[in-house]
Amino acid sequence: MLPEVGYGALLVAFLVAVYGILSSLMAVWRNSATWLRSALSAMRLTWPLITASLACLLILLVQGDFQVSYVYNTTSRSMPLYLKLTALWGGQAGSLLFWGWLMAGFASLAALRNWERDRELLPWVIVVTLTTLAFFVGMVLFSADSNPFVRFWQNRSGQPLAPAMFRSADMLPLVPWDGRGLSPLLRHPGMIMHPPMLYLGFVSFVIPYAFAMAALITGRNDVRWIRITRRWTLVAWLFLSLGLVLGMRWAYDVLGWGGYWGWDPVEVAALNPWLSGTAFLHSVMLQEKRGLFKRWNVFLIAITYGLVIYGTFLTRSGVFSSVHAFAQSDLGPAFFVFIAVMAIASLGLIFYRWEALRSEGQLTALFSRETVFLLNNFVFMSILAVCFWGINYPLLSELVTGQKVTMGPPFYESTVGPLLALLFLLMGIAPLTAWGRSTWKMLRRSVWRPALLAFLLVVALFLGGVRQPGALLGFGLAALVGFVTVYEYGRAAWMRHRTQGESALLALWQLAVRNRRRYGGYLIHLGVVLMSLGVIGIEFFQSETQGLLRPGESLEVAGYRLTYRSLAQFDVPDGRNVTRAVVGVEKNGRFLGEVYPRRDYYYEAQQPMTIPGLRSTMEDDVYVILVSWQPITEDGATFKVYHNPLVNWLWVGALVFLVGSLVAIWPESGNVVKSA
Amino acid sequence: MKKLLWVVLIVWGVLLGQAEMVAAQEPTPSDDEVNAVARQLYCPVCENVPLDVCPTEACKDWREQIREKLAAGWSEEEIKAYFAAQYGDRTLAQPPRRGFNWLAYLIPLALMLLGAGVVGRILWTAQRSQSAAALPVVEEERLAEIEAALRRQGE
Amino acid sequence: MQTEQPSTKQRQGVSPWMMGGAFLLLAGFLVFIWLGLQRAQAGPAVVGQPAPDFELTTFDGQTLRSEELRGKVIVLNFWASWCDPCAEEAAFLEQAWQRYVRREDVIFVGVAYVDSETEAKRYLAQHQVSYPNGPDLRTVISQAYRIRGVPETYVIDKNGRLTYIKIGPFVSVQEIVQVVDAALQ
């Protein structure tokens, strides 16, 4: 019963979405408010309907109805409840439904806002949003292997039949006793938050894109739509950033290779829209303040959304495949058509409004805040060029030469590294430049103090024994950005304190509250600085060693002494066999504690997982792996140990980054009405 | 265990074979020495997994192969070239710089140059207009500007 | 406050060059991903189609070219020493080979997929494989046949057409003999 209800609700949602598109078009054609109201109701209705469908799937997952192929493939009896729930995005079909649900949520949310002043945009926002939604929901409904409600059947003589959605006369239900269980890789608490955040980031870009397209279609050219778009982009961008960071954390905790970012094509595909989105969030300020680069901004919005869809296409259609990819999927052609239509329509619209999108002015000075932002966009787009090409070239190479190639860390790092250094330099001087026109003299006056501090820090590091030029440059630039940001904030607060007689603390608070965007932005920059410490730590100072130890023997890395104490092997009720080692950590002869690297063998999936033992401090991480490719016995086991300095700052920085984004997104209180 | 024994036998054999030629006994390359090479290579059958951290049985054999080659005195570059010749370019961390693969490196560079050209053109026009309408900049202006900007943004 | 450039004011709309270039670029990109998709979705080589050509240097240094083997039925088996199912079928393959070893119109060829030479030779010795075997250098052959894993076996008839594909191991000698005899007719 439940599968039919779930499928039915989804089908109704699809029809409602199609109805919304049509009635929206009617509203434009007839200039009718009634049709528009009806379309708006349709958009609001999609979310409850898909919620009902999603609820059905969740109940099936929790109940463990293994007749449903998706439930069979992603859960098993022994899995705890929270894993049964997260199995919702553990497979192609469920995660696609989940994706549609999130997108419908955003559509409904957008439909609930006050449309009084943006009436003319509304029908087109509805058309664009619901078209995307209908596309994703349609894929779940009409693709054979992306429908999560498909069930197993057998005929009267007990022969299994092909899985099907609906039952015909001679079919009997075929109910396996147990399911195959969730992929071990996904059985980590990190997977509870990482995919939803990433998906939220992806799907929410549909709203700014819809606004941009609506503005192009209607020819509306004022500052208002760009403000709305900017705020929605900021929300989407926050979720995407969060999703990326959580993904890094998950990789660090679960994948067991000592790092958090491996330049895997799937990772890079998720990073691409973040890059163009970040470029947009900077360059949009030029449009708001000076009316510059309107074409570029619309282009960035379109390309960001395009990259979201393209990345989804690559990872879901099986294009990123190998001899080991089983997941053949029939989604490819549909995705291709969607991408083609979207890209041609967006490009066509931009050209159609080319004249209306002319900049209202131009840069008035060679050196100004505008120039810095322009260069910022250049750097972000350059990184994007490298990353975009990096995921596409292997496909091209395979097509042209027949040889598969790998684009690994060396390819990216050699180009992205210097670009990041340039980006930090820009980030350091940007707050000190003025809009419209700036002078070097002004910059010198304000930059010398933070620059001197940063320089002293570099000298101190050098004297302290840090000799790699790259690391020194990295620390220096990070320090420059950090000091400049703090200095700017402090200076503004000091001015307020002097001119308005506020206490220093109140001045700091008032500044942040009065100008959330600017000081939210500063906080984000500080977050990035802190995160960069973690990156520098791993890139330049990571060290590792490996060895076969007998109990009592030890390995040494970066001043730490790791002693193998004991090993235990036991079964856990949820279907794992755990091999867990106890390793003592010492530094300078002082005992610091124990870590417990382990290897979990999943019986159902017949797959081992290597979970590191981690001792984490703000100074450094000791990351111990029980190496699974050597025999592990009680009288000898191979350990691999990584020493990852400063890596914790990455997560701390991400928190600061998050707070900064929230400050920037929070609606300004009171005078919202006045602003337009 | 059997595999390890086999490896030991091989290494031992290699050492015996060399003992006649070289007087000094070559030490078995340590795990760290093997990993130093393996981390620059990719598992030929997995999807984007560096060889030093790849947990499969096959990868273990490849690492042992690196150990054999190191024991035989091969250099890092020779081993990498050997892997590429045996298992294809996908075992290298980046495409070798030759033939069609130059595109992998030149296209991003070309795109960046294109971007730099566009930025340069915008700045060039900006500079021309600047010299046409040069305004004197006084430093007090900076303070006024900040305050004006603050007020603007407070809206 | 801002000065309009007179030169840009004269221009109306977007230049056809730019528009044409942009759409051309987009079209090129779409063609590219369409081809990529085709390739990703294409299964392995298709039965009835001409089999991809190959050139194999065996472990004994002999060179086998598919064109030179025309007129013979070729049983092309992909295997690896690290693959357990391969070891299970190795005996069946060798026994089947023994039946045809005297015939001029059948040849078995083994291709070691991403294997180390030492391990591969040990595997061949252990299973007493007597038909020609060689490493798949640069994985060229396996990429041409788009194999999904090992073991996989491709049977090519006398005209160079693929007549049979086996994914996974053979489970008996009969199974092999059957497909080879079918290809001989």
Side-chain angles (χ1 to χ4, degrees), chain A residues 290 310 313 317-319 321 323-324 328-333 336 339-340 343-344 347-348 351 354-355 358-362 364 388 392 395-396 398-399 402-404, chain C residues 1-5 8-9 11-15 18-19 22-23 26 29-37 39-42 82 113 138-140 143 146-149:
Chain A
R290 302 283 313 275
Y310 184 56
F313 162 74
S317 67
V319 172
S321 70
V323 284
H324 281 259
Q328 285 294 323
S329 138
D330 56 359
L331 299 180
F336 175 80
I339 290 175
I344 293 169
L347 196 60
F351 283 139
W354 194 251
E355 273 314 296
R358 176 189 290 291
S359 289
E360 280 159 30
Q362 60 180 28
T364 43
F388 184 73
N392 280 296
L395 307 179
L396 185 69
E398 211 187 326
L399 281 176
Q403 267 288 309
K404 282 195 167 81
Chain C
M1 173 172 147
Q2 289 120 12
T3 51
E4 277 277 300
Q5 273 297 97
T8 49
K9 218 171 190 175
R11 240 190 287 149
Q12 283 301 311
V14 53
S15 93
M18 184 167 174
M19 197 142 73
F23 274 109
L26 181 59
F29 178 66
L30 289 175
V31 168
F32 160 67
I33 59 175
W34 178 251
L35 291 176
L37 187 65
R39 191 179 169 86
Q41 296 212 317
W82 42 264
Y113 173 64
R138 307 178 69 76
T139 62
V140 171
Q143 286 191 48
R146 297 186 54 77
I147 70 164
R148 283 176 269 190

Side-chain angles (χ1 to χ4, degrees), chain A residues 434 442 445 488 491-492 495 498-499, chain B residues 137-151:
Chain A
M442 261 158 47
R445 260 179 53 137
E488 261 302 287
R491 195 167 72 165
M495 253 163 54
R498 280 239 315 252
T499 55
Chain B
V137 183
V138 273
E139 273 152 29
E140 280 78 5
E141 225 181 52
R142 163 86 170 138
L143 294 179
E145 247 172 0
I146 290 174
E147 276 177 340
L150 282 176
R151 248 178 274 122

Side-chain angles (χ1 to χ4, degrees), chain C:
Chain C
M1 173 172 147
Q2 289 120 12
T3 51
E4 277 277 300
Q5 273 297 97
S7 63
T8 49
K9 218 171 190 175
Q10 290 160 3
R11 240 190 287 149
Q12 283 301 311
V14 53
S15 93
W17 283 109
M18 184 167 174
M19 197 142 73
F23 274 109
L24 207 67
L25 210 66
L26 181 59
F29 178 66
L30 289 175
V31 168
F32 160 67
I33 59 175
W34 178 251
L35 291 176
L37 187 65
Q38 290 295 331
R39 191 179 169 86
Q41 296 212 317
V46 184
V47 169
Q49 297 292 313
D53 283 331
F54 63 86
E55 181 180 326
L56 181 79
T57 307
T58 65
F59 289 117
D60 327 323
Q62 191 191 347
T63 303
L64 292 176
R65 285 190 193 82
S66 53
E67 309 97 82
E68 294 168 7
L69 298 175
R70 278 294 130 73
K72 293 184 185 196
V73 167
I74 307 170
V75 177
L76 189 67
N77 174 252
F78 292 91
W79 59 273
S81 65
W82 42 264
C83 143
D84 292 334
C86 300
E88 289 166 22
E89 71 165 1
F92 301 134
L93 278 166
E94 178 58 28
Q95 283 166 36
W97 168 238
Q98 287 306 329
R99 294 207 183 185
Y100 300 103
V101 71
R102 289 177 208 295
R103 291 181 65 152
E104 279 302 304
D105 56 354
V106 176
I107 184 164
F108 280 41
V109 179
V111 180
Y113 173 64
V114 290
D115 214 334
S116 76
E117 197 166 334
T118 337
E119 294 279 325
K121 281 181 170 165
R122 189 173 66 87
Y123 173 95
L124 291 174
Q126 186 190 333
H127 297 284
Q128 299 173 332
V129 180
S130 62
Y131 54 86
N133 272 278
D136 182 12
L137 292 185
R138 307 178 69 76
T139 62
V140 171
I141 307 175
S142 46
Q143 286 191 48
Y145 280 79
R146 297 186 54 77
I147 70 164
R148 283 176 269 190
V150 277
E152 278 185 20
T153 308
Y154 296 80
V155 182
I156 302 160
D157 71 9
K158 292 179 177 172
N159 304 317
R161 282 183 188 282
L162 209 54
T163 61
Y164 185 79
I165 298 172
K166 177 76 182 177
I167 309 288
F170 285 108
V171 290
S172 70
V173 184
Q174 263 58 48
E175 201 186 349
I176 306 171
V177 171
Q178 241 168 30
V179 296
V180 175
D181 286 346
L184 276 167
Q185 278 150 22

Side-chain angles (χ1 to χ4, degrees), chain A residues 393 406 408 515 544-546 629, chain B residues 32 35 39 90 93 101 153:
Chain A
Y393 179 73
T406 303
N515 198 343
E544 59 171 272
T545 187
Q546 176 178 315
W629 46 271
Chain B
D32 285 348
N35 279 338
R39 69 181 309 173
R90 63 178 300 197
N101 282 340
Q153 288 184 340

Side-chain angles (χ1 to χ4, degrees), chain A residues 579-643:
Chain A
T579 310
R580 181 170 168 276
V582 179
V583 175
V585 184
E586 276 171 78
K587 190 172 191 181
N588 305 326
R590 205 161 60 85
F591 179 68
L592 297 173
E594 285 177 342
V595 293
Y596 311 102
R598 52 174 227 264
R599 191 171 72 131
D600 293 4
Y601 182 80
Y602 287 85
Y603 289 116
E604 294 150 356
Q606 302 184 347
Q607 202 178 338
M609 285 289 298
T610 310
I611 310 289
L614 192 59
R615 184 180 186 277
S616 195
T617 65
M618 290 321 286
E619 190 189 335
D620 53 14
D621 280 16
V622 180
Y623 186 104
V624 185
I625 300 170
L626 188 54
V627 177
S628 54
W629 46 271
Q630 295 273 2
I632 303 164
T633 63
E634 286 190 43
D635 32 271
T638 302
F639 292 90
K640 186 165 190 177
V641 186
Y642 290 94
H643 178 244

